[in-house]
Amino acid sequence: MRAAIEAARIAEDNGDVPIGAVIVCENRIIGKAYNQREQLQDPTAHAEIIALTQAAAARQNWRLNGCTIYVTLEPCPMCAGALVLSRMDRLCYGCSDHKSGACGSLYNIVGDERLNHRLEVTAGVLAEECKEQLQNFFERRRDENAEPKT
């Protein structure tokens, strides 16, 4: 998770929401990414999606069974769906997302028994650190956009 938090810092430095993702297989990082929606002007450029693409390229296989993804924020419905489709074994995430989390908070796509694959989920890994990173980013963003006091 520390590597995902470091990746999230890069997103923040680039003006994007600080979310990072790292995919590990056989104790080796095969995908590491951060949000790039603002940088690429792409609504699908979430950290998880980019990390999945990197991991699939590293394995030369879209099936990522045997892999674990570490994400600083609970994945959204799009990313949760992509994790299911990738056949990822395990998801570990930092803080929950009660507005759009799809891995237990708002929805539970990764655990839905109607789908052909489910992931083992570990929530709350370095949750406070992940939460603070996001809160500090949005607090600074609000301060930058605030009207000057007269």
Side-chain angles (χ1 to χ4, degrees):
M1 186 62 78
R2 292 257 179 243
I5 292 169
E6 288 174 25
R9 283 191 188 104
I10 298 169
E12 186 170 8
D13 291 344
N14 291 331
D16 217 320
V17 177
I19 299 171
V22 173
I23 297 176
V24 175
C25 189
E26 297 174 358
N27 294 318
R28 189 172 61 91
I29 293 175
I30 61 170
K32 182 177 180 181
Y34 51 88
N35 266 14
Q36 295 182 47
R37 293 183 308 167
E38 296 297 334
Q39 186 177 359
L40 300 176
Q41 290 301 299
D42 179 352
T44 67
H46 290 204
E48 300 95 321
I49 300 298
I50 297 167
L52 282 168
T53 300
Q54 291 174 357
R59 287 190 79 181
Q60 297 182 351
N61 193 335
W62 63 267
R63 292 174 190 86
L64 298 176
N65 51 310
C67 296
T68 299
I69 187 167
Y70 296 86
V71 187
T72 57
L73 180 67
E74 179 183 0
C76 70
M78 174 183 70
C79 293
L83 293 175
V84 170
L85 293 173
S86 75
R87 311 299 195 267
M88 182 83 53
D89 280 3
R90 186 169 177 232
L91 161 66
C92 298
Y93 68 83
C95 55
S96 297
D97 184 349
H98 299 287
K99 291 184 179 180
S100 64
C103 302
S105 290
L106 189 59
Y107 304 104
N108 191 11
I109 292 171
V110 298
D112 193 323
E113 293 182 4
R114 296 170 294 179
L115 299 176
N116 66 337
H117 181 77
R118 284 165 293 291
L119 283 77
E120 175 187 334
V121 177
T122 303
V125 179
L126 298 177
E128 279 305 309
E129 192 170 337
C130 294
K131 182 179 175 182
E132 279 181 30
Q133 188 177 39
L134 285 160
Q135 286 177 333
N136 291 340
F137 172 80
F138 285 113
E139 186 176 305
R140 280 192 304 277
R141 173 96 25 114
R142 282 190 297 275
D143 289 346
E144 290 168 3
N145 294 329
E147 292 283 329
K149 295 180 182 176
T150 55

